[in-house]
Amino acid sequence: EAQVTQNPRYLITVTGKKLTVTCSQNMNHEYMSWYRQDPGLGLRQIYYSMNVEVTDKGDVPEGYKVSRKEKRNFPLILESPSPNQTSLYFCASSPMTGREGGYTFGSGTRLTVV
Amino acid sequence: DAKTTQPTSMDCAEGRAANLPCNHSTISGNEYVYWYRQIHSQGPQYIIHGLKNNETNEMASLIITEDRKSSTLILPHATLRDTAVYYCIVRVPLYVTSGSRLTFGEGTQLTVNP
């Protein structure tokens, strides 16, 4: 089944403790992206990647890092999480060539930083 | 990307057609209209997209006016499971410009009633 898999689904952590949220897709998509969703603010893009070793900032990149060493994986790294990073996070992927059918999103990661 | 305007909420009776409008009066010639939906805190789901011709797939139909300044998403026989927030997004496809961003607005909360 074609899908984007995020792990973990739920995570509670403490301020300052480094964490990584993994994202993997099995559709050979070039484009991958991370979003966060907060009440009243909608979905906002954090980082995106157009291919291996090519990443760029989205609208709210502060406090986050990403890497794209393999085409299928696009982990989101929080080096020193803070409570304002408590949010619902989504990873998405899309082809960049041919007739684009739309983004495929993961099921989400609900992160709480205390 | 062009700005879109959608009603905040709509109701529909189960089994009837749900018609969700979207205004995008500043759309440019190479921008497509995309529709996504999000069922309570799940990852957004791609529904359909089009440029100027009407489109239909197994989920929905998309009607775009001749001047392309507005569109309507039609769910022909709404079910309770179609209750979700529906997002209308106008953008240039990734294969045209890699900098194109998927920007979500507030969307329309569709409630399907039994």
Side-chain angles (χ1 to χ4, degrees):
Chain A
E1 180 188 353
Q3 60 186 357
V4 175
T5 303
Q6 293 178 229
N7 281 296
R9 291 292 308 275
Y10 301 91
L11 179 60
I12 301 174
T13 190
V14 296
T15 299
K17 186 177 181 180
K18 180 180 179 180
L19 67 91
T20 299
V21 183
T22 64
C23 175
S24 179
Q25 51 96 1
N26 61 0
M27 296 164 283
N28 201 37
H29 287 168
E30 296 87 0
Y31 184 93
M32 297 185 75
S33 180
W34 277 102
Y35 286 82
R36 60 178 289 173
Q37 186 171 31
D38 304 287
L41 296 175
L43 279 147
R44 295 178 292 168
Q45 189 180 52
I46 304 171
Y47 269 95
Y48 65 95
S49 168
M50 292 179 285
N51 216 324
V52 176
E53 303 292 0
V54 181
T55 64
D56 208 346
K57 297 177 181 179
D59 297 314
V60 288
E62 295 78 20
Y64 304 94
K65 286 176 60 177
V66 293
S67 69
R68 188 90 182 273
K69 294 184 172 57
E70 305 166 285
K71 198 171 186 179
R72 62 182 294 126
N73 296 322
F74 190 46
L76 180 69
I77 303 156
L78 285 72
E79 295 268 357
S80 182
S82 62
N84 65 13
Q85 292 178 298
T86 292
S87 186
L88 179 58
Y89 291 86
F90 291 104
C91 179
S93 74
S94 173
M96 283 189 66
T97 57
R99 179 173 169 79
E100 180 189 333
Y103 287 27
T104 301
F105 282 81
S107 298
T109 296
R110 188 169 292 280
L111 172 66
T112 302
V113 184
V114 298
Chain B
D1 295 336
K3 179 179 171 57
T4 62
T5 304
Q6 298 178 251
T8 302
S9 63
M10 293 182 66
D11 285 283
C12 176
E14 188 177 20
R16 305 297 293 269
N19 297 286
L20 291 93
C22 180
N23 287 322
H24 31 80
S25 59
T26 60
I27 192 171
S28 60
N30 61 355
E31 288 182 313
Y32 283 64
V33 180
Y34 291 80
W35 283 84
Y36 286 77
R37 73 181 182 183
Q38 186 175 25
I39 298 171
H40 184 62
S41 295
Q42 296 180 21
Q45 178 188 23
Y46 163 80
I47 302 173
I48 198 167
H49 75 286
L51 181 62
K52 55 184 177 181
N53 297 319
N54 298 338
E55 301 284 347
T56 296
N57 63 20
E58 65 279 1
M59 287 182 68
S61 295
L62 173 61
I63 308 298
I64 303 174
T65 58
E66 192 169 343
D67 63 7
R68 301 208 324 122
K69 293 184 177 182
S70 66
S71 60
T72 301
L73 177 74
I74 301 172
L75 308 179
H77 304 288
T79 70
L80 299 179
R81 287 178 292 183
D82 291 321
T83 292
V85 177
Y86 287 78
Y87 298 97
C88 169
I89 300 166
V90 173
R91 61 185 283 263
V92 179
L94 282 172
Y95 60 82
V96 174
T97 169
S98 58
S100 177
R101 187 171 295 178
L102 195 68
T103 302
F104 289 80
E106 296 300 315
T108 296
Q109 171 66 57
L110 174 69
T111 302
V112 180
N113 300 304

